[in-house]
């Protein structure tokens, strides 16, 4: 009897929360007529521009995050060194810091402090698309590093040692053992980092600004259209982002489920 | 002598000093858990660096603090069977066995011979998680033999198999050593395994801070 009351309470809270999230996600579609939505999606150049800009910048940011994130996560999971814990905490700080603060820090660093030096080598981050990539990179990289760190730490170091005694040098061990065994963590990390980069707003608006048809990513398009009172347009862009998020999370879930089925072969 | 070792290694503020020579025999590293057996094994394999001393195998210097030589593990031709076997979970048995030859041409007959010798032919398509302790031990042995090692290190390889299987596998290990005619170093804290397998024994049991090697021709 007690058990069923417990179960009833838990399931009730679960249903209330799940329904609440679903309602939040579908509410933008209740505001706009389907015909208007389709018309805007097909004919509005601003949405197309924002979507392409968001995709290109976020993919570049995630690519950069992977290039830096894989070695950083590997070092944190495999080597012991002085101040490791402090560095580990510092690298996690962007996860909890408001993105607008990160954006401000980037603006100060890449503008007044280092902007002139960077301009000499052709790098301009302030109010440019490069700035969007940088802002998205700083926000999504710690998320990726955290996921990779867990993935690398879950591999038994004996497997890497065994590969070494079988003729693999460090690079070969990394390629043949470490990467295949942490593949799921890498895919999950990259995907969630990509979704985070696509939705990045605070840091981007501080560093790259919010200029229509220039630095107008999808979240910035929502912001600009809300500011000018074009709620229908803002809602349409929001729907695009919600659909994108559902697709990403859906694909990830399907992949993970398939892997679990396949992975039982070897775990 | 095929193998000459004289190394010092500090483990948790305890200096372990091991000096021994070995021909094509089975040497037992005998001692309690935490006595430094696996650490010394790792030093011989090149997975850890000794603090000082030298390791020579078949006339080749693998480590020498004096001449600043330290050959990396992937160039040492030392087979290593880890405790729990460390079979690669994402590869099937055949790919595990062939791992050391994945980028090079290899003798199919030799592969066949090793597979048959280790009795793993019926397992080659299976994945490590589906194998019993005894089967894993055989696959690990086959994988280590594929590199055609000059020395084989076995770190408590029978700790997770039942007694009946243990006797069978110990016999197989002994036979393979006789056939391959290479030195084996076998780590154990079991007196029975030590008595059954070893020609020689190196004890790691000592309460002294600086350990004195005990090197016996026969186990008393």
């Amino acid at each position: 009897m007690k058990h069923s009351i417990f179960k009833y309470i838990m399931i009730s809270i679960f249903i209330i929360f799940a329904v609440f999230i679903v309602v939040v996600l579908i509410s933008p579609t209740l505001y706009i007529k389907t015909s208007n939505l389709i018309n805007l999606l097909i004919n509005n150049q601003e949405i197309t521009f924002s979507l392409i800009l968001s995709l290109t910048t976020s993919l570049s940011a995630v690519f950069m995050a992977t290039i830096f994130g894989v070695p950083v996560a590997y070092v944190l999971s495999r080597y012991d060194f002085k101040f490791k814990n402090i560095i580990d905490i510092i690298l996690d700080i962007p996860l909890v810091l408001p993105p607008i603060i990160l954006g401000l820090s980037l603006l100060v660093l890449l503008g007044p402090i280092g902007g002139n030096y960077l301009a000499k080598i052709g790098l301009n981050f302030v109010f440019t698309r490069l700035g969007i990539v940088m802002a998205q990179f700083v926000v999504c990289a710690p998320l990726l590093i955290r996921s990779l760190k867990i993935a690398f730490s879950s591999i038994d170091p004996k497997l890497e040692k065994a590969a070494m005694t079988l003729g693999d040098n460090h690079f070969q061990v990394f390629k043949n053992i470490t990467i295949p065994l942490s593949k799921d963590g890498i895919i999950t990390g990259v995907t969630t980092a990509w979704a985070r980069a696509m939705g990045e707003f605070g840091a981007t608006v501080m560093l790259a600004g919010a200029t229509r048809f220039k630095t107008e990513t999808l979240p910035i398009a929502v912001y600009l259209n809300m500011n000018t009172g074009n709620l229908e347009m803002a809602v349409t862009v929001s729907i695009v982002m919600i659909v994108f998020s559902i697709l990403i999370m859906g694909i990830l879930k399907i992949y993970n489920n398939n892997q679990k089925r396949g992975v039982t072969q070897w775990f | 002598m095929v193998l000459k070792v004289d190394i010092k290694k500090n483990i948790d503020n305890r200096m372990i000093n091991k000096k021994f020579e070995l021909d094509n025999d089975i040497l037992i590293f005998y001692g309690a858990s935490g006595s430094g057996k696996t650490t010394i094994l790792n030093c011989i394999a090149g997975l850890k660096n000794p603090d000082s001393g030298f390791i020579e195998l078949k006339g080749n210097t693998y480590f020498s603090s004096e001449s600043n030589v330290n050959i990396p593990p992937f160039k040492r031709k030392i087979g290593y069977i880890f405790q729990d076997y460390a079979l690669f979970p994402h590869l099937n048995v055949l790919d595990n066995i062939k791992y050391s030859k994945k980028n090079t041409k290899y003798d199919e007959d030799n592969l066949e011979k090793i597979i048959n010798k280790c009795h793993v032919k019926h397992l080659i398509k299976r994945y490590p998680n589906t194998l019993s302790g005894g089967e894993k031990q055989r696959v690990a042995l086959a994988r280590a033999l594929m590199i055609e090692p000059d020395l084989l290190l076995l770190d408590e390889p029978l700790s997770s198999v039942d007694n009946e299987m243990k006797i069978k596998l110990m016999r197989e290990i002994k036979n393979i050593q006789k056939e391959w005619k290479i030195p084996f170093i076998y780590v154990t804290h079991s007196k029975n395994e030590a008595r059954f397998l070893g020609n020689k024994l190196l004890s790691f049991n000592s309460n002294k801070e600086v350990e004195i090697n005990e090197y016996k021709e026969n186990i008393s």
Side-chain angles (χ1 to χ4, degrees):
Chain A
M1 186 63 188
K2 271 183 184 173
H3 177 70
S4 62
I5 292 171
F6 172 80
K7 197 174 166 184
Y8 176 75
I9 292 168
M10 293 307 233
I11 290 175
S12 302
I13 294 170
F14 165 77
I15 290 169
I16 291 166
F17 182 75
V19 169
F20 171 69
I21 295 294
V22 170
V23 170
V24 168
L25 290 177
I26 62 168
S27 59
T29 59
L30 305 174
Y31 180 82
I32 190 168
K33 280 183 186 164
T34 314
S35 57
N36 289 358
L37 176 70
I38 292 167
N39 186 38
L40 277 170
L41 283 174
I42 293 170
N43 299 321
N44 192 290
Q45 286 186 336
E46 196 178 339
I47 295 177
T48 313
F49 176 88
S50 302
L51 182 62
I52 292 169
L53 183 65
S54 282
L55 284 172
T56 50
T57 54
S58 62
L59 286 171
S60 308
V62 170
F63 177 73
M64 268 175 65
T66 310
I67 297 290
F68 283 92
V70 169
V72 169
Y74 188 80
V75 166
L76 287 172
S77 68
R78 282 289 181 278
Y79 304 129
D80 283 323
F81 48 90
K82 237 180 178 183
F83 309 120
K84 182 181 165 179
N85 287 338
I86 295 169
I87 294 168
D88 201 2
I89 291 167
I90 291 169
L91 293 179
D92 271 346
I93 285 176
L95 287 172
V96 291
L97 206 63
I100 204 155
I101 306 294
L102 279 177
L104 181 67
S105 305
L106 282 171
L107 182 65
V108 171
L109 177 69
L110 304 172
I113 295 176
N116 287 339
Y117 302 105
L118 290 166
K120 282 177 190 166
I121 54 167
L123 292 174
N124 241 319
F125 291 97
V126 181
F127 303 130
T128 64
R129 289 178 187 184
L130 208 55
I132 302 173
V133 176
M134 179 55 85
Q136 291 174 338
F137 164 72
V138 171
V139 170
C140 78
L143 203 64
L144 178 63
I145 289 167
R146 183 178 256 205
S147 184
L148 294 177
K149 210 166 61 183
I150 294 167
F152 291 149
S153 299
S154 68
I155 299 170
D156 182 356
K158 262 189 208 159
L159 297 172
E160 294 172 339
K161 286 178 183 171
M164 271 191 189
T165 66
L166 295 167
D168 274 6
N169 62 34
H170 289 91
F171 289 100
Q172 290 166 326
V173 170
F174 192 69
K175 180 179 139 268
N176 298 325
I177 303 297
T178 315
I179 294 290
L181 289 179
S182 50
K183 189 180 70 182
D184 295 348
I186 293 171
I187 288 172
T188 305
V190 167
T191 316
T192 45
W194 183 36
R196 180 69 191 86
M198 275 288 281
E200 213 304 300
F201 174 73
T204 309
V205 86
M206 286 301 283
L207 183 62
T211 311
R212 223 177 266 276
F213 285 104
K214 191 185 173 194
T215 58
E216 191 180 4
T217 58
L218 287 170
I220 287 173
V222 175
Y223 169 75
L224 287 173
N225 283 292
M226 282 301 289
N227 274 352
T228 53
N230 191 350
L231 191 56
E232 209 164 61
M233 178 70 178
V235 163
T236 306
V237 178
S238 301
I239 291 169
V240 170
M241 294 205 69
I242 290 166
V243 169
F244 171 80
S245 303
I246 291 169
L247 278 176
I248 289 284
M249 296 317 285
I251 290 166
L252 194 59
K253 189 77 184 163
I254 292 166
Y255 171 80
N256 283 337
N257 287 345
N258 285 345
Q259 281 306 107
K260 265 182 203 163
R261 265 182 243 130
V263 161
T264 48
Q265 267 189 313
W266 42 277
F267 275 123
Chain B
M1 286 291 169
V2 178
L3 175 69
K4 290 180 185 172
V5 175
D6 182 1
I7 51 172
K8 283 182 182 171
K9 178 76 181 168
N10 191 319
I11 308 166
D12 299 329
N13 296 322
R14 193 164 54 96
M15 187 58 82
I16 306 258
N17 179 13
K18 288 295 165 198
K19 183 179 178 182
F20 61 89
E21 292 184 350
L22 185 63
D23 234 324
N24 294 331
D25 293 316
I26 298 180
L27 170 66
I28 303 292
F29 277 9
Y30 179 78
S33 297
S35 58
K37 305 183 297 292
T38 300
T39 304
I40 296 299
L41 215 59
N42 284 338
C43 287
I44 295 167
L47 298 170
K48 276 188 178 158
N49 292 331
D51 296 332
S52 62
F54 70 88
I55 298 164
E56 275 179 33
L57 182 61
K58 282 179 97 177
N60 301 313
T61 303
Y62 281 178
F63 177 84
S64 169
S65 53
E66 209 171 90
S67 5
N68 211 15
V69 173
N70 191 7
I71 304 296
F74 46 90
K75 289 184 179 170
R76 288 197 181 196
K77 276 195 88 174
I78 295 178
Y80 197 144
I81 298 176
F82 290 81
Q83 203 176 6
D84 307 326
Y85 315 114
L87 297 177
F88 305 129
H90 59 306
L91 303 177
N92 65 22
V93 166
L94 183 62
D95 289 337
N96 262 282
I97 294 171
K98 289 195 307 186
Y99 189 85
S100 59
K101 305 291 179 190
K102 61 188 176 301
N103 297 324
T104 51
K105 277 189 177 175
Y106 59 92
D107 184 354
E108 286 282 352
D109 292 341
N110 191 39
L111 172 68
E112 190 76 18
K113 193 181 122 195
I114 289 170
I115 285 174
N116 288 331
K117 189 78 217 162
C118 298
H119 309 290
V120 292
K121 194 162 190 171
H122 61 296
L123 306 171
I124 54 171
K125 285 185 179 165
R126 283 168 60 182
Y127 281 80
N129 75 312
T130 66
L131 305 177
S132 68
E135 288 169 338
K136 282 182 187 171
Q137 197 267 346
R138 287 198 180 106
V139 175
L141 183 61
R143 186 178 71 174
L145 291 176
M146 267 304 279
I147 67 165
E148 296 165 62
D150 294 329
L151 164 70
L152 188 65
L153 310 173
L154 302 98
D155 188 6
E156 303 197 36
L158 304 179
S159 55
S160 58
V161 293
D162 58 55
N163 281 339
E164 204 177 313
M165 182 58 75
K166 222 174 239 185
I167 293 163
K168 201 175 170 191
L169 291 171
M170 281 195 290
R171 278 202 190 103
E172 284 176 12
I173 288 169
K174 225 171 175 175
N175 287 338
I176 285 171
Q177 193 276 329
K178 273 180 192 160
E179 198 178 307
W180 279 72
K181 294 184 183 71
I182 57 167
F184 280 22
I185 297 178
Y186 188 101
V187 171
T188 186
H189 56 256
S190 154
K191 269 186 184 169
N192 289 339
E193 283 177 42
R195 281 202 187 98
F196 189 91
L197 281 167
N199 309 101
K200 293 169 180 176
L201 179 138
L202 189 61
S203 173
F204 280 69
N205 289 333
S206 173
N207 294 324
K208 292 176 185 173
E209 202 176 319
V210 178
E211 212 169 334
I212 297 161
N213 291 324
E214 190 184 325
Y215 190 40
K216 294 178 181 173
E217 284 299 314
N218 288 301
I219 303 158
S220 52

